[in-house]
PDB file of all heavy atoms in Angstrom:
ATOM      1  N   LYS A  79       6.973 -25.572 -12.533  1.00  0.00           N
ATOM      2  CA  LYS A  79       7.627 -26.579 -13.372  1.00  0.00           C
ATOM      3  C   LYS A  79       7.090 -26.482 -14.792  1.00  0.00           C
ATOM      4  O   LYS A  79       5.874 -26.538 -15.002  1.00  0.00           O
ATOM      5  CB  LYS A  79       7.418 -27.992 -12.826  1.00  0.00           C
ATOM      6  CG  LYS A  79       8.168 -29.053 -13.612  1.00  0.00           C
ATOM      7  CD  LYS A  79       8.082 -30.417 -12.927  1.00  0.00           C
ATOM      8  CE  LYS A  79       6.679 -30.988 -12.987  1.00  0.00           C
ATOM      9  NZ  LYS A  79       6.626 -32.380 -12.458  1.00  0.00           N
ATOM     10  N   ALA A 116       2.107 -33.035 -24.664  1.00  0.00           N
ATOM     11  CA  ALA A 116       2.656 -32.129 -23.651  1.00  0.00           C
ATOM     12  C   ALA A 116       1.630 -31.067 -23.280  1.00  0.00           C
ATOM     13  O   ALA A 116       1.513 -30.674 -22.097  1.00  0.00           O
ATOM     14  CB  ALA A 116       3.925 -31.468 -24.190  1.00  0.00           C
ATOM     15  N   GLU A 117       0.852 -30.605 -24.231  1.00  0.00           N
ATOM     16  CA  GLU A 117      -0.204 -29.612 -23.951  1.00  0.00           C
ATOM     17  C   GLU A 117      -1.287 -30.207 -23.047  1.00  0.00           C
ATOM     18  O   GLU A 117      -1.808 -29.521 -22.178  1.00  0.00           O
ATOM     19  CB  GLU A 117      -0.810 -29.127 -25.261  1.00  0.00           C
ATOM     20  CG  GLU A 117       0.124 -28.236 -26.079  1.00  0.00           C
ATOM     21  CD  GLU A 117      -0.477 -27.851 -27.420  1.00  0.00           C
ATOM     22  OE1 GLU A 117      -1.597 -28.348 -27.720  1.00  0.00           O
ATOM     23  OE2 GLU A 117       0.153 -27.084 -28.174  1.00  0.00           O
ATOM     24  N   LYS A 118      -1.553 -31.514 -23.228  1.00  0.00           N
ATOM     25  CA  LYS A 118      -2.532 -32.188 -22.354  1.00  0.00           C
ATOM     26  C   LYS A 118      -1.990 -32.233 -20.915  1.00  0.00           C
ATOM     27  O   LYS A 118      -2.760 -32.084 -19.963  1.00  0.00           O
ATOM     28  CB  LYS A 118      -2.806 -33.586 -22.868  1.00  0.00           C
ATOM     29  CG  LYS A 118      -3.611 -33.657 -24.164  1.00  0.00           C
ATOM     30  CD  LYS A 118      -3.843 -35.085 -24.628  1.00  0.00           C
ATOM     31  CE  LYS A 118      -4.629 -35.125 -25.932  1.00  0.00           C
ATOM     32  NZ  LYS A 118      -4.832 -36.518 -26.416  1.00  0.00           N
ATOM     33  N   SER A 119      -0.686 -32.433 -20.787  1.00  0.00           N
ATOM     34  CA  SER A 119      -0.094 -32.445 -19.439  1.00  0.00           C
ATOM     35  C   SER A 119      -0.253 -31.098 -18.763  1.00  0.00           C
ATOM     36  O   SER A 119      -0.436 -31.006 -17.533  1.00  0.00           O
ATOM     37  CB  SER A 119       1.395 -32.818 -19.525  1.00  0.00           C
ATOM     38  OG  SER A 119       1.576 -34.116 -20.050  1.00  0.00           O
ATOM     39  N   VAL A 120      -0.160 -30.035 -19.548  1.00  0.00           N
ATOM     40  CA  VAL A 120      -0.362 -28.680 -19.011  1.00  0.00           C
ATOM     41  C   VAL A 120      -1.802 -28.502 -18.542  1.00  0.00           C
ATOM     42  O   VAL A 120      -2.077 -28.006 -17.447  1.00  0.00           O
ATOM     43  CB  VAL A 120       0.009 -27.599 -20.067  1.00  0.00           C
ATOM     44  CG1 VAL A 120      -0.342 -26.221 -19.523  1.00  0.00           C
ATOM     45  CG2 VAL A 120       1.489 -27.676 -20.388  1.00  0.00           C
ATOM     46  N   LEU A 121      -2.753 -28.939 -19.399  1.00  0.00           N
ATOM     47  CA  LEU A 121      -4.163 -28.805 -19.044  1.00  0.00           C
ATOM     48  C   LEU A 121      -4.560 -29.668 -17.867  1.00  0.00           C
ATOM     49  O   LEU A 121      -5.460 -29.317 -17.089  1.00  0.00           O
ATOM     50  CB  LEU A 121      -5.039 -29.157 -20.266  1.00  0.00           C
ATOM     51  CG  LEU A 121      -4.909 -28.220 -21.476  1.00  0.00           C
ATOM     52  CD1 LEU A 121      -5.692 -28.775 -22.642  1.00  0.00           C
ATOM     53  CD2 LEU A 121      -5.387 -26.828 -21.100  1.00  0.00           C
ATOM     54  N   ASN A 122      -3.884 -30.812 -17.689  1.00  0.00           N
ATOM     55  CA  ASN A 122      -4.146 -31.709 -16.569  1.00  0.00           C
ATOM     56  C   ASN A 122      -3.502 -31.223 -15.261  1.00  0.00           C
ATOM     57  O   ASN A 122      -3.771 -31.777 -14.193  1.00  0.00           O
ATOM     58  CB  ASN A 122      -3.652 -33.121 -16.882  1.00  0.00           C
ATOM     59  CG  ASN A 122      -4.439 -33.771 -18.001  1.00  0.00           C
ATOM     60  OD1 ASN A 122      -5.588 -33.417 -18.238  1.00  0.00           O
ATOM     61  ND2 ASN A 122      -3.805 -34.724 -18.690  1.00  0.00           N
ATOM     62  N   GLY A 123      -2.644 -30.221 -15.349  1.00  0.00           N
ATOM     63  CA  GLY A 123      -1.998 -29.695 -14.158  1.00  0.00           C
ATOM     64  C   GLY A 123      -0.684 -30.346 -13.821  1.00  0.00           C
ATOM     65  O   GLY A 123      -0.072 -30.019 -12.799  1.00  0.00           O
ATOM     66  N   ASP A 124      -0.201 -31.251 -14.651  1.00  0.00           N
ATOM     67  CA  ASP A 124       1.086 -31.886 -14.399  1.00  0.00           C
ATOM     68  C   ASP A 124       2.247 -30.912 -14.661  1.00  0.00           C
ATOM     69  O   ASP A 124       3.316 -31.027 -14.047  1.00  0.00           O
ATOM     70  CB  ASP A 124       1.270 -33.133 -15.305  1.00  0.00           C
ATOM     71  CG  ASP A 124       0.213 -34.190 -14.997  1.00  0.00           C
ATOM     72  OD1 ASP A 124      -0.205 -34.281 -13.818  1.00  0.00           O
ATOM     73  OD2 ASP A 124      -0.196 -34.917 -15.926  1.00  0.00           O
ATOM     74  N   LEU A 125       2.034 -29.980 -15.557  1.00  0.00           N
ATOM     75  CA  LEU A 125       3.039 -28.944 -15.886  1.00  0.00           C
ATOM     76  C   LEU A 125       2.379 -27.567 -15.791  1.00  0.00           C
ATOM     77  O   LEU A 125       1.162 -27.425 -16.065  1.00  0.00           O
ATOM     78  CB  LEU A 125       3.583 -29.151 -17.285  1.00  0.00           C
ATOM     79  CG  LEU A 125       4.389 -30.440 -17.542  1.00  0.00           C
ATOM     80  CD1 LEU A 125       4.722 -30.551 -19.030  1.00  0.00           C
ATOM     81  CD2 LEU A 125       5.690 -30.440 -16.721  1.00  0.00           C
ATOM     82  N   ASP A 126       3.173 -26.560 -15.420  1.00  0.00           N
ATOM     83  CA  ASP A 126       2.660 -25.187 -15.363  1.00  0.00           C
ATOM     84  C   ASP A 126       2.703 -24.535 -16.724  1.00  0.00           C
ATOM     85  O   ASP A 126       2.048 -23.520 -16.978  1.00  0.00           O
ATOM     86  CB  ASP A 126       3.477 -24.351 -14.381  1.00  0.00           C
ATOM     87  CG  ASP A 126       3.267 -24.836 -12.937  1.00  0.00           C
ATOM     88  OD1 ASP A 126       2.104 -24.849 -12.498  1.00  0.00           O
ATOM     89  OD2 ASP A 126       4.267 -25.185 -12.294  1.00  0.00           O
ATOM     90  N   GLY A 127       3.520 -25.095 -17.629  1.00  0.00           N
ATOM     91  CA  GLY A 127       3.603 -24.509 -18.959  1.00  0.00           C
ATOM     92  C   GLY A 127       4.482 -25.397 -19.867  1.00  0.00           C
ATOM     93  O   GLY A 127       5.149 -26.315 -19.418  1.00  0.00           O
ATOM     94  N   GLU A 146      -2.047 -22.882 -19.738  1.00  0.00           N
ATOM     95  CA  GLU A 146      -3.506 -22.761 -19.585  1.00  0.00           C
ATOM     96  C   GLU A 146      -3.906 -21.294 -19.416  1.00  0.00           C
ATOM     97  O   GLU A 146      -4.953 -20.844 -19.894  1.00  0.00           O
ATOM     98  CB  GLU A 146      -3.979 -23.591 -18.387  1.00  0.00           C
ATOM     99  CG  GLU A 146      -5.480 -23.617 -18.215  1.00  0.00           C
ATOM    100  CD  GLU A 146      -5.915 -24.540 -17.081  1.00  0.00           C
ATOM    101  OE1 GLU A 146      -5.052 -25.061 -16.370  1.00  0.00           O
ATOM    102  OE2 GLU A 146      -7.126 -24.732 -16.911  1.00  0.00           O
TER     103      GLU A 146
END
Side-chain angles (χ1 to χ4, degrees):
K79 184 172 69 173
E117 290 175 357
K118 289 179 181 179
S119 297
V120 173
L121 294 174
N122 293 334
D124 297 328
L125 295 173
D126 294 302
E146 185 176 5

